[in-house]
Amino acid sequence: MDNIDREELVRNQVWAEFLAQATPDEIHQSLLSSNWDNNQYLLDWILEHPQVDKATILLAFWMGGALEMEAYERQYLSGFYSISEIAMNPTCDQDGYNWTLDDERYLHPDFKLLVSSKMLKPLTGRVISRPDNFEEGIPLPYYDKLIERLNEQEE
């Protein structure tokens, strides 16, 4: 196994430890603060776990590029996720960003024909802000664990 595979294995182990005990709010914060180059484990996990809040799926759908996130749209529309306590508005998210207008990918005239109108509907609930105690989507204590384990492997 080369270094890249070992690093990914260790990173995924730490993700699994965190996600096994994370609340819906923490999962949402994780997505908000995630490094999209290193979060495939998180994205896959979110898609497969019904305890994820609907707002987190909606956020992943828009942040990931709606037209490229068909699996999230299908899962969202299927009713797989029943918890809906977090706010998410695609036209004005927690940072005031309008995903439906501010991203050039969504200005195509056929865009609204390609995406369900349900993916444009705001969800009401608690507003979760981008956290400052997460690094690359992982809470700092878990991130410290990740760095420690990666350093151990180098020795």
Side-chain angles (χ1 to χ4, degrees):
M1 185 179 322
D2 64 23
N3 283 344
I4 293 173
D5 291 339
R6 283 190 188 108
E7 182 177 328
E8 185 176 351
L9 179 64
V10 171
R11 183 177 298 279
N12 291 350
Q13 288 171 342
V14 172
W15 272 115
E17 290 171 22
F18 162 61
L19 291 168
Q21 58 75 48
T23 66
D25 287 13
E26 290 170 327
I27 296 165
H28 197 82
Q29 289 176 312
S30 185
L31 185 64
L32 279 172
S33 62
S34 187
N35 174 343
W36 283 71
D37 293 331
N38 289 325
N39 75 348
Q40 193 58 51
Y41 186 90
L42 172 64
L43 290 172
D44 292 345
W45 191 94
I46 284 172
L47 190 61
E48 297 301 323
H49 285 80
Q51 71 266 31
V52 171
D53 194 283
K54 287 181 177 182
T56 305
I57 300 304
L58 194 57
L59 180 66
F61 174 78
W62 287 102
M63 287 178 74
L67 296 178
E68 295 143 25
M69 303 296 278
E70 293 173 23
Y72 291 81
E73 181 178 22
R74 275 194 309 274
Q75 197 79 311
Y76 182 88
L77 296 174
S78 76
F80 184 71
Y81 308 98
S82 60
I83 299 171
S84 186
E85 299 173 355
I86 299 173
M88 169 48 186
N89 184 345
T91 63
C92 185
D93 72 7
Q94 73 289 336
D95 296 325
Y97 189 78
N98 183 340
W99 290 100
T100 66
L101 294 177
D102 295 343
D103 191 316
E104 289 181 18
R105 293 175 289 192
Y106 310 136
L107 298 179
H108 189 279
D110 293 335
F111 175 73
K112 290 193 176 170
L113 298 174
L114 299 172
V115 172
S116 169
S117 62
K118 291 181 180 179
M119 302 308 284
L120 295 162
K121 287 186 178 177
L123 298 173
T124 59
R126 296 184 305 282
V127 175
I128 305 293
S129 299
R130 193 174 302 276
D132 57 6
N133 59 342
F134 280 58
E135 184 69 39
E136 295 186 19
I138 304 171
L140 289 178
Y142 286 91
Y143 186 77
D144 292 343
K145 226 187 259 193
L146 170 64
I147 298 304
E148 182 180 310
R149 290 182 188 172
L150 291 174
N151 288 337
E152 286 172 2
Q153 287 208 341
E154 288 178 7
E155 295 172 0

